[in-house]
Amino acid sequence: LGGNKRIQYLLLEHSIKKKLLSIMPSFQGNVAALDHPIPPGEYSETPIPLEQPFLFGFLGLATESKGFDRYLKIALEIKKKFPGQVEFQGV
């Protein structure tokens, strides 16, 4: 992990970057962090109503090495168990 210096790791919060570098300082220069998309205090505490069908998607390359085969298997099982209540992108 982290042996390939040509790979850049993009983390979704600065606190995650800080923790990673405290554990693995060799990653310095190979990680960047994004600001959280919702700044603290700028969110609604009102719950968002959930409506069916629930929609799931797969982010990234749809390859076996990225887990897409497992995604398909789980998606098919859930669709059978909850017909009409869920939708899966890419299935």
Side-chain angles (χ1 to χ4, degrees):
L1 184 64
N4 188 340
K5 295 297 182 187
R6 296 182 337 165
I7 295 176
Q8 293 291 315
Y9 298 92
L10 185 58
L11 306 172
L12 299 180
E13 289 191 39
H14 291 279
S15 61
I16 296 171
K17 178 182 176 182
K18 182 179 177 181
K19 183 65 173 179
L20 173 67
L21 292 176
S22 75
I23 297 169
M24 304 176 93
S26 63
F27 274 67
Q28 185 68 42
N30 292 84
V31 294
L34 296 175
D35 291 326
H36 196 285
I38 303 174
E42 291 188 22
Y43 62 91
S44 172
E45 292 187 16
T46 306
I48 299 171
L50 297 177
E51 298 177 10
Q52 293 181 7
F54 299 111
L55 180 61
F56 297 87
F58 186 89
L59 181 63
L61 292 174
T63 64
E64 186 176 335
S65 65
K66 296 284 186 173
F68 192 68
D69 59 325
R70 289 176 279 171
Y71 172 80
L72 290 175
K73 181 180 176 187
I74 292 168
L76 292 174
E77 289 177 20
I78 292 174
K79 286 174 72 170
K80 286 179 188 175
K81 188 170 183 176
F82 301 99
Q85 297 178 41
V86 296
E87 291 180 14
F88 289 85
Q89 298 294 310
V91 177

